[in-house]
Amino acid sequence: QVQLVESGGGLVQAGGSLRLSCADSGNTFLISRMGWYRQAPGKQRALVADISISSGGVTNYADSVKDRFTISRDNAENTVYLQMNSLKPEDTAVYYCNAAHWVNLFRGDVREYWGQGTQVTVSS
């Protein structure tokens, strides 16, 4: 069973920085992409950023975090990082790691896995 182990959340003042990390216990060659989502109280879970693992490291960011957050990967360690700079109170949320693993490469089918979430709180 694939497990995603997250770390790095916490409390920070506005303007500060945090780095989240997520390690995937699965087979490196089956990982299609990894990313981070967040869910604030009363809101739906939404994509923050993701990065392809199997096709060149293409990244994708939510408009609200562009130029402030950077997602990166260490393929050898099956780990993805989210560097969060210039944090704002509206970034406060539970951040969830997500990984998509190939189930059928030819059909493009993937299975998604989720971490348990890590709290990020930004005080004003």
Side-chain angles (χ1 to χ4, degrees):
Q1 180 69 16
V2 172
Q3 289 189 322
L4 303 182
V5 179
E6 304 153 333
S7 62
L11 173 64
V12 65
Q13 288 189 329
S17 298
L18 284 173
R19 188 172 88 149
L20 306 182
S21 61
C22 173
D24 185 322
S25 68
N27 185 327
T28 298
F29 298 104
L30 295 180
I31 303 174
S32 171
R33 59 173 173 74
M34 295 182 71
W36 291 92
Y37 288 69
R38 67 186 181 187
Q39 187 167 20
K43 295 189 177 181
Q44 290 189 327
R45 191 175 298 188
L47 176 71
V48 176
D50 64 13
I51 184 167
S52 68
I53 302 299
S54 58
S55 57
V58 176
T59 59
N60 179 41
Y61 293 92
D63 287 343
S64 60
V65 306
K66 283 179 181 176
D67 300 324
R68 299 189 297 123
F69 291 10
T70 303
I71 190 167
S72 60
R73 61 181 181 161
D74 181 337
N75 285 0
E77 299 293 330
N78 281 7
T79 299
V80 66
Y81 303 96
L82 185 68
Q83 178 66 44
M84 305 185 292
N85 297 329
S86 302
L87 282 160
K88 304 175 180 180
E90 51 263 43
D91 294 317
T92 296
V94 178
Y95 284 69
Y96 294 92
C97 181
N98 171 273
H101 286 225
W102 294 112
V103 173
N104 187 309
L105 182 62
F106 297 102
R107 291 205 308 257
D109 293 341
V110 297
R111 179 176 181 178
E112 298 201 14
Y113 297 90
W114 293 92
Q116 293 198 339
T118 185
Q119 177 70 46
V120 171
T121 303
V122 184
S123 63
S124 57

